[in-house]
Amino acid sequence: MQFTEAELTNVLKGVALATLAAQSKDIRKGRLDVEQVWQDLGGYGRYEMLEGLSHRVLPALVALPEVDRVHGKRLKVRGSQLRAAVEETTGEEAGTGVRRKAYVVSMAALIAAGLAGLPPYVDPEK
C-alpha cells in the first residue's frame, strides 16, 4: 500500500505513543499525559524511539494490500490484513511458535493503533 510521507510520519508517531502508553503505568492510569511524555523525551529521544520502531513498522505498512481510499473517510484495514502483513515482514528475531504469534499479534495491534490516528483521506484531485 502507498502512503504519503505525512501519513507515514503520523502512523509512526501513533505507534510510538501507543508504545509509550504500554510501557508506562502512569500513562495508562491517567496520571501522566502521553503527549506531555512525548514532548519531554526531547528531539533526540523522539528520534531514537521513531528510528527503533520504523524498522519494524514501515515494512509491514508497505506490505499491506492496496485498499480503495475514499475522500473524507478514514482508512480501514482489517486485522487479518495487518497480521498477514506483519507475518510476511517478520524475520527471525520473532522466534518460532507461540513467541512468533505473540509478536505478530502485538505488532499488528500497535500498527492498528497508529493507523487509527490517521486523519480522513484527502484526495488531491478534489
Side-chain angles (χ1 to χ4, degrees), residues 5-86:
E5 183 178 342
E7 288 173 328
L8 288 173
T9 303
N10 210 345
V11 170
L12 203 52
K13 181 183 177 192
V15 170
L17 293 177
T19 301
L20 282 174
Q23 292 175 344
S24 173
K25 187 177 185 180
D26 289 334
I27 293 173
R28 288 192 309 272
K29 294 207 175 236
R31 293 183 209 136
L32 291 174
D33 178 41
V34 70
E35 287 291 337
Q36 186 59 49
V37 172
W38 178 250
Q39 290 303 316
D40 291 345
L41 282 176
Y44 188 68
R46 289 190 299 269
Y47 166 78
E48 283 184 317
M49 185 163 204
L50 292 173
E51 173 69 19
L53 289 170
S54 68
H55 296 293
R56 295 181 176 152
V57 174
L58 296 178
L61 288 175
V62 172
L64 285 171
E66 281 297 323
V67 176
D68 290 334
R69 300 184 72 185
V70 179
H71 178 74
K73 300 282 183 177
R74 292 188 181 273
L75 176 65
K76 293 186 180 180
V77 179
R78 291 183 302 187
S80 59
Q81 291 173 320
L82 277 173
R83 286 189 301 277
V86 172

Side-chain angles (χ1 to χ4, degrees), residues 81-118:
Q81 291 173 320
L82 277 173
R83 286 189 301 277
V86 172
E87 179 70 41
E88 178 183 319
T89 59
T90 299
E92 298 299 317
E93 77 274 1
T96 58
V98 174
R99 177 175 280 172
R100 183 179 185 87
K101 185 170 182 166
Y103 175 84
V104 168
V105 169
S106 64
M107 281 305 298
L110 275 175
I111 294 171
L115 288 172
L118 277 179

